[in-house]
Amino acid sequence: MFFTTAYSGPVNRPVSRVDLDKFSGKWYSLYSIPTMFDRGTRETTTTYTLNNDGYYNVVTCAKKGDNEEVHTYKSKLFPEKEKDGEMKAQFIWPIKVDYWVIDLAPDYSYVVVGHPDHKFLFIMSRKPSIPKAEYEGIVEHCKEMGYAVEKLVSQQHKG
């Protein structure tokens, strides 16, 4: 028998290693395939603070629509033991959802968060913008992993 296989590109999976201390801090959500909770938001930032219990306290700030009021949301993020790219987010107790770090710059200047079922995608950076070529490379990688990148929307950060 003769078998052939086609290369289908990178598989959607979390990165194997995240330095939890380096991941801590403020991230600008630049582009996203939003969830029902963040649809219509803009200028979103998320700050991850690693606590002594081994999970992150998370504070997300965002504006909605044309309103300049900043809305603040608190949640938690739980790294999985031995697989810290595979995390669980908890927005409402006791429900946890998959929150995968699927791409991460070696210097932690950007991170891409996805979901095993491609339900959402967040491209985040330590700054309110990233170079166009870097963005295009990230988007192409996400497309190869099966994400509907045509659904990405800008978070409209100035800068």
Side-chain angles (χ1 to χ4, degrees):
M1 292 189 113
F2 178 72
F3 293 96
T4 62
T5 57
Y7 175 72
S8 60
V11 176
N12 182 36
R13 72 172 63 130
V15 298
S16 60
R17 177 84 178 103
V18 174
D19 181 315
L20 300 181
D21 289 321
K22 286 183 181 179
F23 186 81
S24 294
K26 183 176 182 177
W27 292 93
Y28 292 84
S29 181
L30 302 180
Y31 298 90
S32 65
I33 297 174
T35 68
M36 64 185 216
F37 299 110
D38 31 42
R39 202 166 282 130
T41 60
R42 62 184 172 83
E43 298 179 53
T44 302
T45 61
T46 304
T47 303
Y48 300 88
T49 305
L50 190 60
N51 64 37
N52 292 334
D53 294 324
Y55 66 87
Y56 293 99
N57 293 311
V58 182
V59 177
T60 302
C61 299
K63 296 177 182 177
K64 289 190 170 207
D66 294 333
N67 190 332
E68 290 301 312
E69 180 183 357
V70 176
H71 300 269
T72 302
Y73 309 93
K74 294 183 179 181
S75 59
K76 296 177 181 177
L77 185 63
F78 299 88
E80 295 291 310
K81 290 182 179 20
E82 309 302 321
K83 299 184 269 184
D84 37 61
E86 193 172 322
M87 303 186 192
K88 299 277 187 184
Q90 185 177 64
F91 303 99
I92 302 169
W93 186 87
I95 301 166
K96 293 180 182 175
V97 296
D98 290 311
Y99 191 93
W100 283 6
V101 175
I102 61 169
D103 196 2
L104 181 62
D107 64 356
Y108 287 69
S109 60
Y110 74 80
V111 65
V112 182
V113 174
H115 186 273
D117 295 330
H118 304 91
K119 291 181 180 180
F120 56 78
L121 185 69
F122 297 95
I123 299 172
M124 299 186 290
S125 173
R126 295 295 187 177
K127 297 178 180 178
S129 65
I130 57 175
K132 183 178 180 184
E134 188 172 58
Y135 168 74
E136 289 171 350
I138 292 168
V139 170
E140 183 59 33
H141 186 240
C142 293
K143 182 178 180 180
E144 290 171 355
M145 288 191 290
Y147 287 89
V149 296
E150 67 278 0
K151 294 181 180 179
L152 281 169
V153 295
S154 171
Q155 280 286 307
Q156 304 170 24
H157 284 280
K158 296 167 182 73

